[in-house]
Amino acid sequence: MTMVNLETEITYLLGVGPKRAKVLGEELGIRTFADLLVNFPYKYIDRSRLYKIHDVNTEMPFVQIVGKILGFETFEMGPRKERVVAHFTDGQDIMDLTWFNGGKYARTHYKIGQPYVIFGKPTLFNGRINVVHPDIDPAEEMQLSGMGMQPYYSLTEKMKKAGFTSRSLERLTKNLLAFLKEPILETLPPSMTDRLNLMSRDEALRNIHFPESAKSLEKARLRLKFEELFYVQLNIVRYASDNRRKYRGYVFPKIGERFNSFYHQNLPFPLTEAQKRVIREIWNDMKSGRQMNRLLQGDVGSGKTLVALMTMLIAIDNGYQACIMAPTEILAEQHLQTINEFLRGMDVRVELLTGIVKGWKRNDILADLASGNVDILVGTHAVIEDNVVFARLGMAVVDEQHRFGVAQRAKLWRKSVNPPHVLVMTATPIPRTLAMTLYGDLDVSVIDELPPGRKPVHTQHVFDAQLPQLYESIRRQIRMGRQAYVVFPLIEESEHIDLKNLEDGYQTLRQVFPEFRMSKVHGKIKPKEKEEEMQRFASGETQILVATTVIEVGVNVPNASVMVILDAQRFGLSQLHQLRGRVGRGAEQAYCILVTCYQMSADTKKRIDIMCDTNDGFRIAEADLKLRGPGDLEGTQQSGMAFDLKIADIARDGQLVQMARDEAQTVIENDPLMHSADNAIFVRRLFELRKTNVNWSAIS
């Protein structure tokens, strides 16, 4: 059985040619037959019903009528513009077909007296039913191919200008499928498709474009979604399995003097059961002989830094160094301060390395690091610069890991003879289905419990007309000895209008609260000035901190009990949740006030309602994933994560993600090197996918 080569350039398909091929390639990435096959429709319209003109009304979304063109009329509409109208009859009544563009083509291409099927949205003009820019097909052609569910394909503006329509993409796909006489090559073995009751790939691709019925469309979708997710998961599971085989981890067999001393004398409060469980999971990895790659998830304030510090002490007790890498200088400095407070009085040397540490101080730190005299290095991406050399790096903690690219994290591995144990921390809860795909090569630990005495932050929504009452509430809180944050949206630091809003807002607040002292922080001020302002607020010298989202991470002021977020409609769910996490760190009841205008989109209202309903970061992350999709979630883009999923949806296809994961794990467990003849089909397909634009190196 000869197979058509799907890698054939699209230029050679009937109806394409070099010019159209160039547009298809540039706009939709369609360069081969295979690319066209996976350019799936975004919707379908049922065209199985035919109407008579006297049955049509303007409430109908679409109508389909068989008839003939009686004649054309042309109306001038200014310089080089015309409206072309065709009078169309079904044999009983007359309606109009109108073109504002392409009228010349319609006049010359469509013949008077020939039977056509017209399709479009009915309107009323001059007392007559009218369809503007209708789809028109010869009646005999439509009857030959059947009139079922018509696919609709996405177009760009450039494609429309080049003369492409959804209908023209439909015709090209129909030409290709007619040309492919032999079945399209399978990518899953019969043992899997039979067991999971999946359609063949050939049947699925034909039905996804031209479904025989609603049921066959659903089965086609299921097959193609599973296939797409399976290969993403297979690549991740294989990558993780290879790493575990290749990289021997340092063995840390003992819990030593520093860990015990810290636990018995310096621990500021008893560990929660969740923290104890996570420390056990991490230590089991560290003494196993294989390199640890673990993701530590925990909501804001759940005590991740304390867990990370205790695991770094295990590395130090076993004769190794540790480092913690944070995405910003302010967060690195916060970690340094927190760790130094935790370790007060202990014989552990902690140093900071960021862009602002320069000159002799920097040289001394680098020399002591290389000689093994620094136990813990805290820093930003400065930690992975080539001139930073560790004597014995055994443990690396990466905080808010989505802010670092894959290549940056890989540099950490090269700082040691064996790769160090890696603990990746995030305060952005990641839904399970997304974590499985974003961080599929990592084992996952979750701190799902807040330290004792923490009260959930009370969140409420107010409109900007209610600001005077809100100001009074803030005044009462501050008079009780508390502090408040007021956050303005500064989405891009280059948005001068936002900066002006913050400056104007700051002046307004000074007039509203003349009796209180204020700090002001935004991304345009120098790091030293920012640090001074933060310190003034943290020490209680100022009562109100006016800021942009630079305070989203890295500020710990237990006395702050009010978080006001202005123009909350401009923030994403995960950003709102992170900001809310700045308050509620003390024993007192804390409040988060979301201020919006009256007019909100449906999505904005959902976001605000979710924030008011729950403090659970995982529920919020699930909702965020459903509202925005994985490509827009904070972090997935920065990390170079490019799923490029054509049909599956991580948010809505959670069960399929799990099913694909389970199947991938079974394949790798049974044949880690994928050498068996049964797995040749998977190896071939993975090789094909590597040649496409899927960023496999990022999917891990």
Side-chain angles (χ1 to χ4, degrees), residues 46-51 62-69 88-90 95 97 99 109-111 113-120 131 133-148 150 152 167 171:
D46 187 354
R47 292 196 54 175
S48 56
R49 181 165 177 191
L50 289 167
Y51 290 88
F62 297 100
V63 292
Q64 186 167 250
I65 300 165
V66 180
K68 296 176 182 178
I69 294 172
F88 185 82
T89 179
D90 62 1
M95 62 183 285
L97 311 176
W99 290 268
H109 189 74
Y110 300 123
K111 307 293 182 222
Q114 275 196 16
Y116 289 107
V117 176
I118 68 103
F119 178 82
V131 172
H133 294 155
D135 282 351
I136 301 188
D137 294 280
E140 59 192 43
E141 208 177 277
M142 288 299 284
Q143 281 151 8
L144 279 172
S145 62
M147 293 185 294
Q150 185 182 344
Y152 275 71
R167 205 61 197 278
R171 286 191 191 104

Side-chain angles (χ1 to χ4, degrees), residues 665-679:
Q665 279 178 325
T666 302
V667 169
I668 297 301
E669 279 165 16
N670 293 338
D671 180 16
L673 298 175
M674 295 178 72
H675 282 171
S676 75
D678 291 347
N679 289 337

Side-chain angles (χ1 to χ4, degrees), residues 311-432:
T311 55
M312 286 193 280
L313 290 175
I314 295 174
I316 294 164
D317 276 337
N318 283 275
Y320 288 83
Q321 296 163 293
C323 74
I324 180 165
M325 193 162 79
T328 63
E329 289 185 349
I330 199 162
L331 189 50
E333 287 162 16
Q334 178 85 43
H335 279 314
L336 179 76
Q337 186 186 340
T338 305
I339 288 169
N340 278 333
E341 280 172 18
F342 279 145
L343 296 175
R344 190 168 286 141
M346 285 184 63
D347 179 25
V348 178
R349 184 173 169 195
V350 187
E351 291 291 353
L352 177 74
L353 192 68
T354 65
I356 57 173
V357 180
K358 291 187 169 72
W360 64 267
K361 173 74 173 162
R362 189 183 191 88
N363 293 335
D364 282 357
I365 290 171
L366 292 178
D368 287 345
L369 194 65
S371 65
N373 290 325
V374 173
D375 297 306
I376 297 175
L377 184 68
V378 181
T380 53
H381 56 271
V383 168
I384 55 175
E385 288 171 5
D386 291 339
N387 64 345
V388 179
V389 179
F390 291 83
R392 297 175 305 280
L393 179 63
M395 172 81 183
V397 179
V398 183
D399 194 17
E400 290 305 327
Q401 96 99 36
H402 61 252
R403 311 259 179 132
F404 296 101
V406 174
Q408 288 175 306
R409 282 179 277 129
K411 276 190 170 184
L412 265 177
W413 285 37
R414 296 196 284 274
K415 296 284 178 190
S416 197
V417 181
N418 282 340
H421 293 297
V422 176
L423 183 68
V424 166
M425 299 198 300
T426 180
T428 309
I430 302 155
R432 200 163 160 280

Side-chain angles (χ1 to χ4, degrees), residues 325-616:
M325 193 162 79
T328 63
E329 289 185 349
I330 199 162
L331 189 50
E333 287 162 16
Q334 178 85 43
H335 279 314
L336 179 76
Q337 186 186 340
T338 305
I339 288 169
N340 278 333
E341 280 172 18
F342 279 145
L343 296 175
R344 190 168 286 141
M346 285 184 63
D347 179 25
V348 178
R349 184 173 169 195
V350 187
E351 291 291 353
L352 177 74
L353 192 68
T354 65
I356 57 173
V357 180
K358 291 187 169 72
W360 64 267
K361 173 74 173 162
R362 189 183 191 88
N363 293 335
D364 282 357
I365 290 171
L366 292 178
D368 287 345
L369 194 65
S371 65
N373 290 325
V374 173
D375 297 306
I376 297 175
L377 184 68
V378 181
T380 53
H381 56 271
V383 168
I384 55 175
E385 288 171 5
D386 291 339
N387 64 345
V388 179
V389 179
F390 291 83
R392 297 175 305 280
L393 179 63
M395 172 81 183
V397 179
V398 183
D399 194 17
E400 290 305 327
Q401 96 99 36
H402 61 252
R403 311 259 179 132
F404 296 101
V406 174
Q408 288 175 306
R409 282 179 277 129
K411 276 190 170 184
L412 265 177
W413 285 37
R414 296 196 284 274
K415 296 284 178 190
S416 197
V417 181
N418 282 340
H421 293 297
V422 176
L423 183 68
V424 166
M425 299 198 300
T426 180
T428 309
I430 302 155
R432 200 163 160 280
T433 51
L434 186 58
M436 223 185 278
T437 311
L438 262 182
Y439 310 115
D441 60 324
L442 303 180
D443 298 310
V444 180
S445 288
V446 179
I447 303 179
D448 49 9
E449 194 180 345
L450 286 178
R454 287 276 176 92
K455 293 176 183 167
V457 178
H458 178 73
T459 307
Q460 64 187 96
H461 172 215
V462 303
F463 295 109
D464 39 22
Q466 297 166 282
L467 279 173
Q469 298 95 302
L470 175 59
Y471 292 150
E472 275 312 305
S473 302
I474 296 170
R475 185 172 273 113
R476 280 196 298 276
Q477 284 288 311
I478 297 174
R479 283 182 177 154
M480 287 162 65
R482 315 272 178 267
Q483 289 164 280
Y485 296 98
V486 179
V487 177
F488 284 80
L490 190 62
I491 310 305
E492 295 288 341
E493 294 295 356
S494 58
E495 283 185 26
H496 298 300
I497 185 163
D498 280 339
L499 208 52
K500 184 175 183 302
N501 287 347
L502 181 119
E503 296 294 347
D504 292 350
Y506 178 69
Q507 295 306 328
T508 301
L509 288 167
R510 286 187 65 178
Q511 289 166 16
V512 172
F513 300 111
E515 70 271 43
F516 301 133
R517 291 186 298 280
M518 291 186 200
S519 292
K520 178 176 63 176
V521 176
H522 55 78
K524 290 287 183 194
I525 65 175
K526 291 176 181 160
K528 190 169 184 300
E529 198 181 328
K530 189 189 295 180
E531 182 58 33
E532 285 169 1
E533 288 294 294
M534 292 282 209
Q535 279 307 121
R536 287 177 66 213
F537 184 66
S539 67
E541 187 189 328
T542 56
Q543 287 83 43
I544 299 174
L545 177 63
V546 180
T548 62
T549 53
V550 293
I551 60 144
E552 187 183 331
V553 288
V555 189
N556 184 16
V557 183
N559 191 48
S561 67
V562 181
M563 167 63 70
V564 176
I565 304 172
L566 298 167
D567 285 333
Q569 72 272 8
R570 290 183 62 182
F571 295 85
L573 258 178
S574 96
Q575 241 184 344
L576 291 171
H577 182 61
Q578 288 283 327
L579 287 167
R580 175 167 63 183
R582 298 298 105 210
V583 295
R585 292 170 161 253
E588 304 301 327
Q589 178 63 57
Y591 303 89
C592 176
I593 318 297
L594 308 174
V595 184
T596 71
C597 51
Y598 273 103
Q599 286 185 316
M600 290 185 291
S601 70
D603 270 5
T604 300
K605 185 158 187 341
K606 272 187 203 162
R607 284 204 303 275
I608 301 294
D609 288 347
I610 289 161
M611 284 295 295
C612 293
D613 286 347
T614 183
N615 279 274
D616 182 336

